[in-house]
Amino acid sequence: MKETLLYSIVAFLCLRCIKASEPFVVNCSETVIMGKYGFSVVLPCWLTPKTDAESLEIRWYRPDQFRNPILLYQNHKVVADFQENYKNRSSLTLSSPQSTGLKQGDVSLKLDNLALSDIGIFHCYVSGDKSYDSKTVTLSLTALGSLPLLSLEHHQNSVNLSCTSSGWYPQPRLLWKFTNKGDVLSELQSPIYTKQENGLFFISSWVLLSSSVSNSISCSVALSEENREVSVDLGPRLSVQNSGLWKILFTVALLSVLALIGIGLFLYKKYNGYQLVKRGNMPNECQMSDEQPQHSKDQKLVIGQPTIMEDLRKANVTIRFDEENCNKDYLRFNPQGDTVRDFGAAADEYKGRGFPYGLCVRGRERFCSGRVYWEVRLKLANVPPKKSWLIGVAKASYTLSDEKSYFTPSNGFWFLCLDPENGLHVNTEPEISPTENTTLESVGVLLDFDKRELSFYNATDGVHLLTMKTDFKEDVVPLFNPGIGDNAPLQIINPQVKTQNEAEVNASV
């Protein structure tokens, strides 16, 4: 019995050796394999006829690097410590889900974390006791770069748009076009290409348009069928022909008002006297420098910057609603002071009047320096996201108003707003509509007072929406408006506060 078992084992091993020594041919993909920078790729290679390759030697190497292979398989195992560049990046793998691997001659190579140095030819060499063969496979790479960064700057009679994007390979193409017409802009500056340290390309371009243009314009950067695109709605603006007379009249009116104010202050000081109260002496008010920056006449908006939400949340601050200085008849707050919604007859009062600006409510906190961040939730579980809201900042000395024309940067208001009539827009002068396809469930606000920047983020997906660059002439307060007619309230997500059950939050307001 033992002799029969021993004979069977010896016969089996002999058959395997004979089979492994049979002549075979190495086959590799004849087409160029396309990989993506930073991702993984499989270089398919197999033996014909199907041969058990477990007892064979398999060597993958680059040209002229036979003795320094990427991967070497010998004696039923992978031998390590060859090329440091491919350590923990290379492995034998299956060429398809149906493959059974080495047992049927599948000797394919998998490369992880692809780099530009991987572009080129790879040799697959397989040898046995009586047969050997080799073939080559070629690898090429593409890198899909970042979402374009679109900077928009209004000047006296023109609009300057610049578009930049990084992390592309090979050189991408850049295209400007009016999205509502599909017309491609011609006679533009040729894109400028710059190589980054990692070998990828950085591309930039700009276009100068007349102030009379009122179209939605997009900048797209693309490789064949893959592209990144961002667009901005320039909105209606004064024509060049009519702006001259308007500027003259505005200047005369402004000078007249300033003269009247100066005369009034002089007379008041002379006959009544007054005491100058420095900022910071009043309750809950910031101490600010007497030297205020000159307000820029040119508004600037930046769209599509890269975002690291963890860094933003390091500047997180606690915000509470100022329940006293608002229209309390139409607003309802929870006991914690971080949730608000329209209340009572608000929907009837503001029906047919557009967005209910009169329902704005400020935060209790004031800011005059530094960098602070807060988040606002616009959706509860099993409740649709809000379709009407306003989030931003305002000068601390503002007064309530129902008029939309009052809520402008020149009057001390900077915000992102959503309403059914105008969609998502920012209250620049003129208004601009940033591209954002997803429904916002939470919005992050970053106020960098020292840099004079106010940024908005899709806090759910970690996507930068836009940055407003302006000058704040005084301390500012957070500004909110819950809109009307939505089931979901507007809730500030404060740090180090246990989140309540969403049903309880909804019930409390």
PDB file of all heavy atoms in Angstrom, residues 414-445:
ATOM      1  N   TRP A 414     -22.153  90.585   2.286  1.00  0.00           N
ATOM      2  CA  TRP A 414     -21.456  89.646   1.402  1.00  0.00           C
ATOM      3  C   TRP A 414     -22.022  88.260   1.703  1.00  0.00           C
ATOM      4  O   TRP A 414     -21.869  87.738   2.817  1.00  0.00           O
ATOM      5  CB  TRP A 414     -19.958  89.663   1.678  1.00  0.00           C
ATOM      6  CG  TRP A 414     -19.346  91.017   1.513  1.00  0.00           C
ATOM      7  CD1 TRP A 414     -18.789  91.547   0.397  1.00  0.00           C
ATOM      8  CD2 TRP A 414     -19.202  92.028   2.536  1.00  0.00           C
ATOM      9  NE1 TRP A 414     -18.321  92.818   0.629  1.00  0.00           N
ATOM     10  CE2 TRP A 414     -18.572  93.143   1.930  1.00  0.00           C
ATOM     11  CE3 TRP A 414     -19.570  92.102   3.884  1.00  0.00           C
ATOM     12  CZ2 TRP A 414     -18.282  94.301   2.635  1.00  0.00           C
ATOM     13  CZ3 TRP A 414     -19.288  93.263   4.590  1.00  0.00           C
ATOM     14  CH2 TRP A 414     -18.651  94.342   3.972  1.00  0.00           C
ATOM     15  N   PHE A 415     -22.676  87.625   0.717  1.00  0.00           N
ATOM     16  CA  PHE A 415     -23.322  86.352   1.026  1.00  0.00           C
ATOM     17  C   PHE A 415     -23.542  85.500  -0.219  1.00  0.00           C
ATOM     18  O   PHE A 415     -23.487  85.973  -1.357  1.00  0.00           O
ATOM     19  CB  PHE A 415     -24.663  86.573   1.741  1.00  0.00           C
ATOM     20  CG  PHE A 415     -25.645  87.444   1.000  1.00  0.00           C
ATOM     21  CD1 PHE A 415     -26.379  86.954  -0.076  1.00  0.00           C
ATOM     22  CD2 PHE A 415     -25.846  88.757   1.387  1.00  0.00           C
ATOM     23  CE1 PHE A 415     -27.295  87.748  -0.743  1.00  0.00           C
ATOM     24  CE2 PHE A 415     -26.762  89.575   0.725  1.00  0.00           C
ATOM     25  CZ  PHE A 415     -27.490  89.065  -0.335  1.00  0.00           C
ATOM     26  N   LEU A 416     -23.802  84.203   0.059  1.00  0.00           N
ATOM     27  CA  LEU A 416     -24.237  83.217  -0.933  1.00  0.00           C
ATOM     28  C   LEU A 416     -25.713  82.964  -0.669  1.00  0.00           C
ATOM     29  O   LEU A 416     -26.118  82.801   0.482  1.00  0.00           O
ATOM     30  CB  LEU A 416     -23.429  81.928  -0.794  1.00  0.00           C
ATOM     31  CG  LEU A 416     -23.693  80.806  -1.797  1.00  0.00           C
ATOM     32  CD1 LEU A 416     -23.238  81.226  -3.198  1.00  0.00           C
ATOM     33  CD2 LEU A 416     -22.951  79.534  -1.374  1.00  0.00           C
ATOM     34  N   CYS A 417     -26.516  82.919  -1.741  1.00  0.00           N
ATOM     35  CA  CYS A 417     -27.966  82.844  -1.562  1.00  0.00           C
ATOM     36  C   CYS A 417     -28.559  81.848  -2.551  1.00  0.00           C
ATOM     37  O   CYS A 417     -28.068  81.696  -3.680  1.00  0.00           O
ATOM     38  CB  CYS A 417     -28.580  84.230  -1.775  1.00  0.00           C
ATOM     39  SG  CYS A 417     -30.361  84.323  -1.467  1.00  0.00           S
ATOM     40  N   LEU A 418     -29.621  81.170  -2.117  1.00  0.00           N
ATOM     41  CA  LEU A 418     -30.369  80.273  -2.994  1.00  0.00           C
ATOM     42  C   LEU A 418     -31.849  80.621  -2.883  1.00  0.00           C
ATOM     43  O   LEU A 418     -32.387  80.717  -1.781  1.00  0.00           O
ATOM     44  CB  LEU A 418     -30.161  78.807  -2.586  1.00  0.00           C
ATOM     45  CG  LEU A 418     -30.985  77.777  -3.377  1.00  0.00           C
ATOM     46  CD1 LEU A 418     -30.497  77.674  -4.821  1.00  0.00           C
ATOM     47  CD2 LEU A 418     -30.935  76.405  -2.711  1.00  0.00           C
ATOM     48  N   ASP A 419     -32.490  80.831  -4.032  1.00  0.00           N
ATOM     49  CA  ASP A 419     -33.938  80.995  -4.044  1.00  0.00           C
ATOM     50  C   ASP A 419     -34.475  80.407  -5.335  1.00  0.00           C
ATOM     51  O   ASP A 419     -33.748  80.307  -6.336  1.00  0.00           O
ATOM     52  CB  ASP A 419     -34.338  82.466  -3.888  1.00  0.00           C
ATOM     53  CG  ASP A 419     -33.912  83.328  -5.060  1.00  0.00           C
ATOM     54  OD1 ASP A 419     -34.550  83.242  -6.116  1.00  0.00           O
ATOM     55  OD2 ASP A 419     -32.943  84.093  -4.921  1.00  0.00           O
ATOM     56  N   PRO A 420     -35.738  79.959  -5.351  1.00  0.00           N
ATOM     57  CA  PRO A 420     -36.288  79.282  -6.532  1.00  0.00           C
ATOM     58  C   PRO A 420     -36.242  80.130  -7.796  1.00  0.00           C
ATOM     59  O   PRO A 420     -36.142  79.599  -8.911  1.00  0.00           O
ATOM     60  CB  PRO A 420     -37.740  78.982  -6.112  1.00  0.00           C
ATOM     61  CG  PRO A 420     -37.709  78.944  -4.614  1.00  0.00           C
ATOM     62  CD  PRO A 420     -36.690  79.959  -4.219  1.00  0.00           C
ATOM     63  N   GLU A 421     -36.298  81.446  -7.660  1.00  0.00           N
ATOM     64  CA  GLU A 421     -36.348  82.307  -8.838  1.00  0.00           C
ATOM     65  C   GLU A 421     -34.980  82.514  -9.477  1.00  0.00           C
ATOM     66  O   GLU A 421     -34.820  82.417 -10.697  1.00  0.00           O
ATOM     67  CB  GLU A 421     -36.932  83.674  -8.450  1.00  0.00           C
ATOM     68  CG  GLU A 421     -37.054  84.634  -9.633  1.00  0.00           C
ATOM     69  CD  GLU A 421     -37.643  85.971  -9.226  1.00  0.00           C
ATOM     70  OE1 GLU A 421     -38.054  86.113  -8.048  1.00  0.00           O
ATOM     71  OE2 GLU A 421     -37.701  86.861 -10.081  1.00  0.00           O
ATOM     72  N   ASN A 422     -33.943  82.758  -8.650  1.00  0.00           N
ATOM     73  CA  ASN A 422     -32.619  83.091  -9.176  1.00  0.00           C
ATOM     74  C   ASN A 422     -31.606  81.969  -9.028  1.00  0.00           C
ATOM     75  O   ASN A 422     -30.488  82.090  -9.532  1.00  0.00           O
ATOM     76  CB  ASN A 422     -32.093  84.350  -8.468  1.00  0.00           C
ATOM     77  CG  ASN A 422     -32.994  85.545  -8.673  1.00  0.00           C
ATOM     78  OD1 ASN A 422     -33.296  85.917  -9.800  1.00  0.00           O
ATOM     79  ND2 ASN A 422     -33.443  86.143  -7.577  1.00  0.00           N
ATOM     80  N   GLY A 423     -31.970  80.884  -8.346  1.00  0.00           N
ATOM     81  CA  GLY A 423     -31.020  79.800  -8.148  1.00  0.00           C
ATOM     82  C   GLY A 423     -29.907  80.204  -7.190  1.00  0.00           C
ATOM     83  O   GLY A 423     -30.043  81.129  -6.393  1.00  0.00           O
ATOM     84  N   LEU A 424     -28.763  79.497  -7.288  1.00  0.00           N
ATOM     85  CA  LEU A 424     -27.621  79.773  -6.425  1.00  0.00           C
ATOM     86  C   LEU A 424     -26.857  80.968  -6.988  1.00  0.00           C
ATOM     87  O   LEU A 424     -26.466  80.973  -8.151  1.00  0.00           O
ATOM     88  CB  LEU A 424     -26.714  78.543  -6.357  1.00  0.00           C
ATOM     89  CG  LEU A 424     -25.547  78.597  -5.374  1.00  0.00           C
ATOM     90  CD1 LEU A 424     -26.058  78.614  -3.938  1.00  0.00           C
ATOM     91  CD2 LEU A 424     -24.611  77.425  -5.598  1.00  0.00           C
ATOM     92  N   HIS A 425     -26.622  81.994  -6.166  1.00  0.00           N
ATOM     93  CA  HIS A 425     -25.904  83.165  -6.644  1.00  0.00           C
ATOM     94  C   HIS A 425     -25.220  83.859  -5.478  1.00  0.00           C
ATOM     95  O   HIS A 425     -25.544  83.651  -4.306  1.00  0.00           O
ATOM     96  CB  HIS A 425     -26.843  84.136  -7.364  1.00  0.00           C
ATOM     97  CG  HIS A 425     -27.953  84.661  -6.516  1.00  0.00           C
ATOM     98  ND1 HIS A 425     -29.122  83.960  -6.283  1.00  0.00           N
ATOM     99  CD2 HIS A 425     -28.073  85.817  -5.802  1.00  0.00           C
ATOM    100  CE1 HIS A 425     -29.919  84.657  -5.488  1.00  0.00           C
ATOM    101  NE2 HIS A 425     -29.307  85.789  -5.176  1.00  0.00           N
ATOM    102  N   VAL A 426     -24.244  84.689  -5.827  1.00  0.00           N
ATOM    103  CA  VAL A 426     -23.522  85.480  -4.843  1.00  0.00           C
ATOM    104  C   VAL A 426     -23.799  86.949  -5.141  1.00  0.00           C
ATOM    105  O   VAL A 426     -23.931  87.348  -6.293  1.00  0.00           O
ATOM    106  CB  VAL A 426     -22.007  85.164  -4.896  1.00  0.00           C
ATOM    107  CG1 VAL A 426     -21.421  85.441  -6.254  1.00  0.00           C
ATOM    108  CG2 VAL A 426     -21.253  85.929  -3.838  1.00  0.00           C
ATOM    109  N   ASN A 427     -23.911  87.764  -4.098  1.00  0.00           N
ATOM    110  CA  ASN A 427     -24.399  89.131  -4.276  1.00  0.00           C
ATOM    111  C   ASN A 427     -23.304  90.125  -4.661  1.00  0.00           C
ATOM    112  O   ASN A 427     -23.245  91.237  -4.146  1.00  0.00           O
ATOM    113  CB  ASN A 427     -25.105  89.624  -3.010  1.00  0.00           C
ATOM    114  CG  ASN A 427     -24.124  89.949  -1.888  1.00  0.00           C
ATOM    115  OD1 ASN A 427     -23.171  89.211  -1.671  1.00  0.00           O
ATOM    116  ND2 ASN A 427     -24.365  91.030  -1.165  1.00  0.00           N
ATOM    117  N   THR A 428     -22.413  89.730  -5.576  1.00  0.00           N
ATOM    118  CA  THR A 428     -21.471  90.700  -6.121  1.00  0.00           C
ATOM    119  C   THR A 428     -22.241  91.700  -6.967  1.00  0.00           C
ATOM    120  O   THR A 428     -23.422  91.508  -7.265  1.00  0.00           O
ATOM    121  CB  THR A 428     -20.423  89.991  -6.991  1.00  0.00           C
ATOM    122  OG1 THR A 428     -21.093  89.118  -7.905  1.00  0.00           O
ATOM    123  CG2 THR A 428     -19.464  89.189  -6.148  1.00  0.00           C
ATOM    124  N   GLU A 429     -21.590  92.779  -7.356  1.00  0.00           N
ATOM    125  CA  GLU A 429     -22.229  93.796  -8.178  1.00  0.00           C
ATOM    126  C   GLU A 429     -21.542  93.833  -9.529  1.00  0.00           C
ATOM    127  O   GLU A 429     -20.472  94.417  -9.658  1.00  0.00           O
ATOM    128  CB  GLU A 429     -22.148  95.148  -7.479  1.00  0.00           C
ATOM    129  CG  GLU A 429     -22.875  95.175  -6.147  1.00  0.00           C
ATOM    130  CD  GLU A 429     -22.604  96.453  -5.362  1.00  0.00           C
ATOM    131  OE1 GLU A 429     -21.466  96.620  -4.887  1.00  0.00           O
ATOM    132  OE2 GLU A 429     -23.532  97.265  -5.234  1.00  0.00           O
ATOM    133  N   PRO A 430     -22.101  93.223 -10.602  1.00  0.00           N
ATOM    134  CA  PRO A 430     -23.391  92.519 -10.644  1.00  0.00           C
ATOM    135  C   PRO A 430     -23.307  91.125 -10.014  1.00  0.00           C
ATOM    136  O   PRO A 430     -22.226  90.631  -9.730  1.00  0.00           O
ATOM    137  CB  PRO A 430     -23.668  92.407 -12.144  1.00  0.00           C
ATOM    138  CG  PRO A 430     -22.293  92.312 -12.740  1.00  0.00           C
ATOM    139  CD  PRO A 430     -21.424  93.239 -11.905  1.00  0.00           C
ATOM    140  N   GLU A 431     -24.498  90.497  -9.818  1.00  0.00           N
ATOM    141  CA  GLU A 431     -24.553  89.163  -9.229  1.00  0.00           C
ATOM    142  C   GLU A 431     -23.890  88.141 -10.131  1.00  0.00           C
ATOM    143  O   GLU A 431     -23.925  88.253 -11.356  1.00  0.00           O
ATOM    144  CB  GLU A 431     -26.006  88.743  -8.979  1.00  0.00           C
ATOM    145  CG  GLU A 431     -26.678  89.506  -7.863  1.00  0.00           C
ATOM    146  CD  GLU A 431     -28.072  88.984  -7.594  1.00  0.00           C
ATOM    147  OE1 GLU A 431     -28.567  88.178  -8.393  1.00  0.00           O
ATOM    148  OE2 GLU A 431     -28.671  89.392  -6.584  1.00  0.00           O
ATOM    149  N   ILE A 432     -23.285  87.112  -9.503  1.00  0.00           N
ATOM    150  CA  ILE A 432     -22.619  86.042 -10.236  1.00  0.00           C
ATOM    151  C   ILE A 432     -23.174  84.713  -9.756  1.00  0.00           C
ATOM    152  O   ILE A 432     -23.418  84.522  -8.562  1.00  0.00           O
ATOM    153  CB  ILE A 432     -21.094  86.103 -10.032  1.00  0.00           C
ATOM    154  CG1 ILE A 432     -20.525  87.349 -10.731  1.00  0.00           C
ATOM    155  CG2 ILE A 432     -20.408  84.854 -10.554  1.00  0.00           C
ATOM    156  CD1 ILE A 432     -19.057  87.564 -10.485  1.00  0.00           C
ATOM    157  N   SER A 433     -23.385  83.792 -10.694  1.00  0.00           N
ATOM    158  CA  SER A 433     -23.915  82.469 -10.358  1.00  0.00           C
ATOM    159  C   SER A 433     -22.821  81.428 -10.539  1.00  0.00           C
ATOM    160  O   SER A 433     -22.466  81.085 -11.665  1.00  0.00           O
ATOM    161  CB  SER A 433     -25.116  82.120 -11.253  1.00  0.00           C
ATOM    162  OG  SER A 433     -26.147  83.057 -11.088  1.00  0.00           O
ATOM    163  N   PRO A 434     -22.216  80.912  -9.448  1.00  0.00           N
ATOM    164  CA  PRO A 434     -21.195  79.877  -9.580  1.00  0.00           C
ATOM    165  C   PRO A 434     -21.813  78.559 -10.006  1.00  0.00           C
ATOM    166  O   PRO A 434     -22.974  78.286  -9.721  1.00  0.00           O
ATOM    167  CB  PRO A 434     -20.604  79.770  -8.172  1.00  0.00           C
ATOM    168  CG  PRO A 434     -21.717  80.207  -7.285  1.00  0.00           C
ATOM    169  CD  PRO A 434     -22.490  81.255  -8.061  1.00  0.00           C
ATOM    170  N   THR A 435     -21.030  77.730 -10.709  1.00  0.00           N
ATOM    171  CA  THR A 435     -21.518  76.422 -11.140  1.00  0.00           C
ATOM    172  C   THR A 435     -21.454  75.444  -9.980  1.00  0.00           C
ATOM    173  O   THR A 435     -20.416  75.233  -9.390  1.00  0.00           O
ATOM    174  CB  THR A 435     -20.658  75.883 -12.299  1.00  0.00           C
ATOM    175  OG1 THR A 435     -20.760  76.800 -13.385  1.00  0.00           O
ATOM    176  CG2 THR A 435     -21.142  74.519 -12.751  1.00  0.00           C
ATOM    177  N   GLU A 436     -22.570  74.845  -9.628  1.00  0.00           N
ATOM    178  CA  GLU A 436     -22.625  73.826  -8.568  1.00  0.00           C
ATOM    179  C   GLU A 436     -23.803  72.921  -8.878  1.00  0.00           C
ATOM    180  O   GLU A 436     -24.956  73.296  -8.724  1.00  0.00           O
ATOM    181  CB  GLU A 436     -22.776  74.477  -7.195  1.00  0.00           C
ATOM    182  CG  GLU A 436     -23.037  73.501  -6.062  1.00  0.00           C
ATOM    183  CD  GLU A 436     -21.904  72.508  -5.871  1.00  0.00           C
ATOM    184  OE1 GLU A 436     -20.781  72.795  -6.250  1.00  0.00           O
ATOM    185  OE2 GLU A 436     -22.172  71.416  -5.337  1.00  0.00           O
ATOM    186  N   ASN A 437     -23.490  71.714  -9.373  1.00  0.00           N
ATOM    187  CA  ASN A 437     -24.541  70.821  -9.859  1.00  0.00           C
ATOM    188  C   ASN A 437     -25.274  70.101  -8.738  1.00  0.00           C
ATOM    189  O   ASN A 437     -26.432  69.748  -8.876  1.00  0.00           O
ATOM    190  CB  ASN A 437     -23.933  69.800 -10.829  1.00  0.00           C
ATOM    191  CG  ASN A 437     -23.395  70.470 -12.078  1.00  0.00           C
ATOM    192  OD1 ASN A 437     -23.958  71.455 -12.539  1.00  0.00           O
ATOM    193  ND2 ASN A 437     -22.301  69.955 -12.610  1.00  0.00           N
ATOM    194  N   THR A 438     -24.593  69.857  -7.605  1.00  0.00           N
ATOM    195  CA  THR A 438     -25.213  69.089  -6.541  1.00  0.00           C
ATOM    196  C   THR A 438     -26.055  69.992  -5.645  1.00  0.00           C
ATOM    197  O   THR A 438     -25.807  71.182  -5.522  1.00  0.00           O
ATOM    198  CB  THR A 438     -24.146  68.396  -5.688  1.00  0.00           C
ATOM    199  OG1 THR A 438     -23.269  69.391  -5.154  1.00  0.00           O
ATOM    200  CG2 THR A 438     -23.353  67.416  -6.521  1.00  0.00           C
ATOM    201  N   THR A 439     -27.069  69.405  -5.000  1.00  0.00           N
ATOM    202  CA  THR A 439     -27.883  70.136  -4.045  1.00  0.00           C
ATOM    203  C   THR A 439     -27.098  70.277  -2.746  1.00  0.00           C
ATOM    204  O   THR A 439     -26.628  69.291  -2.189  1.00  0.00           O
ATOM    205  CB  THR A 439     -29.200  69.390  -3.783  1.00  0.00           C
ATOM    206  OG1 THR A 439     -29.904  69.260  -5.017  1.00  0.00           O
ATOM    207  CG2 THR A 439     -30.054  70.150  -2.791  1.00  0.00           C
ATOM    208  N   LEU A 440     -26.941  71.489  -2.282  1.00  0.00           N
ATOM    209  CA  LEU A 440     -26.144  71.731  -1.083  1.00  0.00           C
ATOM    210  C   LEU A 440     -26.910  71.286   0.161  1.00  0.00           C
ATOM    211  O   LEU A 440     -28.026  71.735   0.401  1.00  0.00           O
ATOM    212  CB  LEU A 440     -25.792  73.209  -0.986  1.00  0.00           C
ATOM    213  CG  LEU A 440     -24.839  73.733  -2.055  1.00  0.00           C
ATOM    214  CD1 LEU A 440     -24.642  75.231  -1.908  1.00  0.00           C
ATOM    215  CD2 LEU A 440     -23.500  73.030  -1.973  1.00  0.00           C
ATOM    216  N   GLU A 441     -26.283  70.416   0.955  1.00  0.00           N
ATOM    217  CA  GLU A 441     -26.865  69.963   2.215  1.00  0.00           C
ATOM    218  C   GLU A 441     -26.217  70.640   3.412  1.00  0.00           C
ATOM    219  O   GLU A 441     -26.820  70.717   4.478  1.00  0.00           O
ATOM    220  CB  GLU A 441     -26.733  68.443   2.326  1.00  0.00           C
ATOM    221  CG  GLU A 441     -27.489  67.699   1.227  1.00  0.00           C
ATOM    222  CD  GLU A 441     -27.426  66.201   1.394  1.00  0.00           C
ATOM    223  OE1 GLU A 441     -26.791  65.742   2.379  1.00  0.00           O
ATOM    224  OE2 GLU A 441     -27.987  65.478   0.561  1.00  0.00           O
ATOM    225  N   SER A 442     -24.996  71.104   3.266  1.00  0.00           N
ATOM    226  CA  SER A 442     -24.326  71.892   4.305  1.00  0.00           C
ATOM    227  C   SER A 442     -23.316  72.811   3.645  1.00  0.00           C
ATOM    228  O   SER A 442     -22.681  72.442   2.659  1.00  0.00           O
ATOM    229  CB  SER A 442     -23.639  70.983   5.339  1.00  0.00           C
ATOM    230  OG  SER A 442     -22.667  70.175   4.716  1.00  0.00           O
ATOM    231  N   VAL A 443     -23.197  74.014   4.190  1.00  0.00           N
ATOM    232  CA  VAL A 443     -22.324  75.036   3.623  1.00  0.00           C
ATOM    233  C   VAL A 443     -21.301  75.454   4.668  1.00  0.00           C
ATOM    234  O   VAL A 443     -21.645  75.712   5.827  1.00  0.00           O
ATOM    235  CB  VAL A 443     -23.131  76.264   3.166  1.00  0.00           C
ATOM    236  CG1 VAL A 443     -22.210  77.408   2.758  1.00  0.00           C
ATOM    237  CG2 VAL A 443     -24.047  75.895   2.019  1.00  0.00           C
ATOM    238  N   GLY A 444     -20.023  75.497   4.279  1.00  0.00           N
ATOM    239  CA  GLY A 444     -18.966  75.987   5.141  1.00  0.00           C
ATOM    240  C   GLY A 444     -18.617  77.423   4.777  1.00  0.00           C
ATOM    241  O   GLY A 444     -18.603  77.780   3.603  1.00  0.00           O
ATOM    242  N   VAL A 445     -18.348  78.243   5.795  1.00  0.00           N
ATOM    243  CA  VAL A 445     -18.006  79.651   5.585  1.00  0.00           C
ATOM    244  C   VAL A 445     -16.654  79.914   6.241  1.00  0.00           C
ATOM    245  O   VAL A 445     -16.479  79.650   7.440  1.00  0.00           O
ATOM    246  CB  VAL A 445     -19.064  80.595   6.191  1.00  0.00           C
ATOM    247  CG1 VAL A 445     -18.700  82.052   5.909  1.00  0.00           C
ATOM    248  CG2 VAL A 445     -20.445  80.268   5.656  1.00  0.00           C
TER     249      VAL A 445
END
